């Protein structure tokens, strides 16, 4: 194989590894030291204060592992990940996208904000100026002004604002007087504005609110330039919003250890001390970062930055060496030309064998979008022979559908730019095979430079990530559902209750909380044993599912206690639903292991509205109504009065 083709093949294999993200869990190893790298955008001290409790939490939760924290700045992060110094990485969205592409790290969770209902777990950037600068109102007013940012490669500290300035018609190189970078901590930009060293400064959202909460007087001395409002987003912003920071892991981290880290991370709620110290509301399943790709592509930065190599400068600096080298090459070429054709043919055969050996589906397309090559893995996915696939369009070869909607991913006979746009907007898709079996595949598309004698313009690699998606879905489900009944657990139910209460307080939708307490359940356990009791709880859960609607939330919140959020339901309709539940459980015995088991229930109802200040108050009011029902003879429904609803004070 020639040197050029060998380099191409090695690079190809590195860019498209065949090993899946999650493999079978391996046996636990002896305790090991794991480094958690954090981008310290507010300085090392703040990063240590925020994330040390989280690191200690992971060390406590995961046997055989000890985590240590290492704050790092923008310049040091790239080198540290390249050297595989970090096992876990927490960084901003733009930095993550580049590290994922260049070094194979993988996101496992996305940071959740503390505020309930915030816009899709996203953040943005804010531009500030001195409060007395009445001439700086919109971003367009920054023309001819001095602007400070955090770092040339800072996502929230520069790129977000750069994109908005460009959208406003400003060329940052010619229309701004200057752009200077403060570095970390980001608070330097605020000082420079107040000292008059710059006219405006930009940094990520939330900084102003944090300083204001600490009583920093500087916040009152500045104004926001180009302020934009977003529903349910509490921070002041000057730009559009992007996904929050992801938690990522090294590509070769042990899968068993990765599984344990993911479970421990998703189990954190907003009340845990580690979440409180970090200022977050917990963690969610990893979000899509396509918007970040769009920003980089539009600005030509990060993954889409132009190559800095200048051939003219290189030729000028190396002309003498180049002439000498060309003379030597010309002499060697005379000896080499007789063997060229044989080596080319041999290299081509070796390359094709290598592509055939790759377990992922590899497809190449010509300039018109026609298929020019498919490897055996791709033919197996399509269920066709080599001769049958050549000349087909991609939509004729593979039935690719959008996740969630099930709509065809590709328009019929998609060619050229239309095909590239359809594939470029998505990374994952559902593949329906000819035998009816469905897979989730990750599509990686690479545009290839034209080569003389070759019509190939696009390379597609499809990787089966079905098992990975099933694993993530299962872990997310386990973290939010009761293992016995399959209903929501108390933590997940409280999150749903907070959302319903916020909607009710904003007069967007009415809802009611029903607390269902089984009557005589202890007698069943004592008489028939816990196995019968567990099966009875499962049957009660089935009854509750049948009596409620698909958009209602049903949970098991205690041993024999259940709860329902009846959406679009006031207290009167909640009482009617409660009576249906009592009747369904008391009118006829339940069949459990070939025996009739009689059970009943008492229900407390509270309507969620402005009178209910919080989740705890809602539970207390419903619980009081339930006890009133029990006092009336069990099998009854009690509705909370306004007198039963009052704020809960104290710890």
């Amino acid at each position: 194989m020639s040197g050029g083709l060998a380099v191409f093949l090695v690079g190809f294999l590195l860019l498209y590894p065949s090993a899946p993200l999650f493999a079978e869990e391996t046996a636990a190893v002896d305790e090991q030291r794991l480094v958690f790298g954090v981008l310290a955008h507010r300085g090392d001290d703040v990063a240590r204060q925020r994330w040390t409790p989280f690191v200690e939490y992971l060390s406590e939760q995961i046997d055989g592992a000890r985590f240590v924290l290492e704050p790092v700045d923008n310049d040091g992060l790239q080198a540290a990940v390249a050297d595989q110094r970090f096992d876990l990485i927490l960084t901003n969205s733009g930095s993550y996208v580049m590290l994922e592409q260049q070094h194979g790290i993988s996101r496992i969770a996305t940071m959740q904000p503390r505020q309930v209902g915030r816009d899709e777990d996203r953040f943005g950037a804010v531009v500030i100026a001195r409060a007395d600068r009445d001439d700086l109102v919109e971003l367009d007013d920054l023309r001819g002004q001095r602007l400070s940012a955090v770092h040339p490669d800072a996502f929230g500290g520069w790129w977000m604002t750069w994109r908005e300035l460009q959208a406003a018609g400003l060329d940052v190189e010619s229309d701004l007087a200057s752009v200077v970078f403060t570095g970390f901590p980001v608070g330097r930009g605020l000082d420079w504005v107040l000292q008059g060293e710059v006219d405006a400064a930009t940094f990520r959202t939330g900084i102003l609110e944090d300083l204001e909460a600490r009583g920093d007087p500087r916040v009152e001395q500045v104004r926001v330039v180009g302020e934009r409002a977003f529903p349910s987003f509490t921070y002041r912003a000057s730009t559009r919003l992007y996904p929050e920071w992801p938690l990522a892991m090294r590509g070769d981290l042990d899968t068993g250890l990765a599984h344990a880290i993911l479970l421990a991370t998703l189990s954190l709620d907003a009340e845990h001390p580690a979440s409180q110290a970090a200022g977050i509301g917990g963690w969610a399943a990893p979000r899509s970062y396509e918007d970040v790709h769009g920003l980089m592509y539009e600005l030509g930065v990060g993954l889409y930055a132009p190559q800095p190599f200048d051939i003219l400068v290189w030729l000028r600096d190396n002309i003498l060496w180049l002439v000498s080298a060309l003379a030597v090459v010309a002499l060697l070429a005379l000896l080499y030309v007789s063997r060229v054709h044989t080596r080319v043919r041999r290299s081509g055969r070796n390359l094709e064998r290598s592509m055939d050996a790759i377990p992922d589906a590899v497809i190449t397309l010509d300039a018109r979008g026609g298929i020019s090559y498919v490897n055996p893995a791709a033919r197996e996915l399509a269920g066709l022979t080599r001769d049958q696939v050549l000349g087909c369009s991609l939509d004729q070869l593979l039935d690719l559908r959008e996740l969630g909607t099930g709509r065809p991913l590709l328009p019929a006979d998609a060619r050229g730019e239309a095909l590239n746009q359809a594939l470029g907007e998505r990374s994952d898709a559902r593949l329906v095979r000819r035998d009816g079996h469905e897979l989730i595949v990750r599509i990686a598309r690479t545009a290839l430079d034209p080569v003389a004698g070759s019509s190939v313009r696009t390379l597609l690699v499809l990787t089966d990530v079905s098992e990975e998606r099933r694993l993530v879905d299962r872990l997310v489900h386990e973290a939010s559902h009761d293992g016995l009944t399959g209903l929501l657990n108390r933590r997940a139910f409280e999150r749903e209750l907070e959302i319903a209460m916020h909607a009710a307080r904003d007069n967007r939708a009415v809802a009611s909380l029903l607390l269902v307490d089984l009557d005589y359940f202890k007698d069943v356990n004592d008489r028939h044993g816990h196995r019968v009791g567990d099966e009875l709880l499962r049957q009660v859960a089935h009854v509750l599912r049948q009596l409620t609607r698909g958009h209602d939330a049903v949970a098991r919140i205690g041993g024999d206690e259940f709860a329902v959020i009846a959406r679009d339901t006031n207290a009167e309709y909640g009482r009617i639903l409660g009576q249906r539940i009592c009747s369904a459980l008391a009118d006829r015995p339940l069949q459990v292991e070939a025996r009739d088991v009689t059970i009943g229930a008492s229900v407390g109802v509270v309507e969620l509205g402005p009178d209910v200040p919080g989740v705890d108050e809602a539970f207390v009011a419903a619980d009081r109504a339930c006890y009133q029902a029990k006092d009336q003879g069990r099998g009854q429904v009690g509705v909370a009065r306004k007198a039963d609803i009052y704020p809960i004070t104290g710890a």
Side-chain angles (χ1 to χ4, degrees), residues 229-248:
F230 297 94
S232 303
F233 186 73
T234 60
Y235 296 146
R236 305 182 73 182
S238 304
T239 71
R240 67 196 80 180
L241 305 180
Y242 299 85
E244 266 289 0
W245 289 24
L247 177 65

Side-chain angles (χ1 to χ4, degrees), residues 443-496:
I443 305 172
R445 183 181 64 86
T446 300
L448 302 178
D449 294 332
V451 177
S454 173
S455 62
V456 176
R457 293 294 183 271
T458 304
L459 174 68
L460 299 177
V461 177
L462 284 72
T463 304
D464 182 3
V465 295
S466 305
E467 185 61 31
E468 170 189 331
R469 292 293 293 261
R470 281 194 291 270
L471 176 59
V472 171
D473 292 344
R474 179 170 63 83
L475 294 178
V476 171
H477 184 275
E478 290 176 356
S480 60
H481 287 73
D482 174 48
L484 177 64
T485 64
L487 301 178
L488 293 175
N489 59 24
R490 186 179 188 107
R491 182 183 296 112
F493 185 79
E494 288 179 350
R495 288 198 295 266
E496 293 292 329

Side-chain angles (χ1 to χ4, degrees), residues 128-133 136 146 148 182 186-203 208 211 216-224:
I128 62 166
R130 282 173 42 173
D132 58 1
R133 289 297 302 270
L136 300 182
R146 300 165 298 168
S148 78
T182 64
V186 298
R188 292 177 185 169
L190 179 59
D191 293 331
W192 287 18
V193 168
L194 296 178
Q195 294 166 8
E197 297 184 27
V198 294
D199 301 291
T202 182
F203 38 78
L208 289 179
L211 294 176
D216 195 317
R218 295 178 297 172
V219 178
E220 300 296 330
Q221 303 175 41
V222 298
R223 64 186 305 169
V224 175

Side-chain angles (χ1 to χ4, degrees), residues 278-590:
I280 64 175
W283 301 87
R287 302 292 189 253
S288 170
Y289 289 81
E290 290 301 317
D291 288 347
V292 181
H293 279 276
L295 177 146
M296 292 184 180
Y297 179 80
E298 186 174 323
L299 297 180
V301 297
L303 297 177
Y304 305 98
Q307 295 297 324
F309 179 74
D310 190 329
I311 186 63
L312 295 179
V313 173
W314 185 86
L315 288 173
R316 183 192 64 196
D317 296 339
N318 299 277
I319 188 65
L320 293 178
W321 175 88
L322 182 60
V323 171
S324 301
L326 287 176
V328 173
V329 169
L331 292 174
L332 294 175
L334 295 175
L335 302 175
Y336 181 75
V337 67
S338 61
R339 304 170 59 189
V340 167
H341 296 294
T342 302
R343 291 190 175 185
V344 169
R345 288 194 298 270
R346 183 181 304 161
S347 298
R349 288 194 298 270
N350 289 340
L351 179 59
E352 185 172 353
R353 293 193 191 101
S354 300
M355 296 300 101
D356 290 349
I358 294 176
D360 292 337
V362 179
I363 303 172
T364 60
L365 308 176
D366 58 27
R368 297 181 298 105
I371 295 174
S372 56
Y373 169 78
V374 292
N375 71 344
R379 293 198 296 272
E380 182 179 352
L381 283 180
L384 299 174
T385 65
R386 180 197 296 260
D387 294 336
Q388 288 174 323
V389 301
L390 295 181
C392 293
S393 61
L394 190 60
D395 63 292
Q396 294 171 336
L397 177 67
L398 299 175
D399 185 3
L400 295 171
R401 299 181 177 271
E402 294 179 347
L403 294 178
T405 66
R407 292 195 298 264
L409 178 64
L410 301 173
D413 296 324
R415 304 279 179 172
E417 187 60 28
L419 176 62
N420 292 336
Q421 290 179 357
L423 292 176
E425 295 174 355
R426 298 166 179 84
S427 59
D428 289 357
R430 186 179 304 279
L431 172 64
V432 182
R433 298 178 54 171
R434 294 180 183 273
D435 59 5
H437 184 64
E438 294 188 3
L439 302 173
I440 304 299
V441 294
R442 180 157 298 148
I443 305 172
R445 183 181 64 86
T446 300
L448 302 178
D449 294 332
V451 177
S454 173
S455 62
V456 176
R457 293 294 183 271
T458 304
L459 174 68
L460 299 177
V461 177
L462 284 72
T463 304
D464 182 3
V465 295
S466 305
E467 185 61 31
E468 170 189 331
R469 292 293 293 261
R470 281 194 291 270
L471 176 59
V472 171
D473 292 344
R474 179 170 63 83
L475 294 178
V476 171
H477 184 275
E478 290 176 356
S480 60
H481 287 73
D482 174 48
L484 177 64
T485 64
L487 301 178
L488 293 175
N489 59 24
R490 186 179 188 107
R491 182 183 296 112
F493 185 79
E494 288 179 350
R495 288 198 295 266
E496 293 292 329
L497 184 57
E498 286 189 53
I499 295 172
M501 292 176 67
H502 272 270
R505 281 198 289 268
D506 295 340
N507 295 321
R508 295 199 307 270
V510 67
S512 294
L513 168 66
L514 284 74
L515 193 64
V516 181
D517 188 49
L518 299 184
D519 295 332
Y520 314 115
F521 179 74
K522 183 177 183 300
D523 295 341
V524 174
N525 269 342
D526 293 342
R527 183 180 306 170
H528 303 294
H530 288 283
R531 188 173 68 179
V532 171
D534 289 347
E535 178 59 28
L536 179 62
L537 291 176
R538 283 190 283 266
Q539 291 204 22
V540 170
H542 178 69
V543 171
L544 293 178
R545 288 195 193 96
Q546 289 182 319
L547 294 178
T548 54
R549 298 159 297 178
H551 65 284
D552 294 336
V554 185
R556 179 190 175 206
I557 60 174
D560 60 348
E561 286 187 317
F562 296 81
V564 177
I565 300 174
R567 305 187 193 277
D568 305 319
T569 302
N570 59 20
E572 174 59 23
Y573 283 102
R575 182 186 64 79
I576 294 173
L577 175 59
Q579 289 175 341
R580 293 178 61 196
I581 292 173
C582 291
S583 298
L585 295 178
D587 286 350
R588 56 183 176 82
L590 297 177

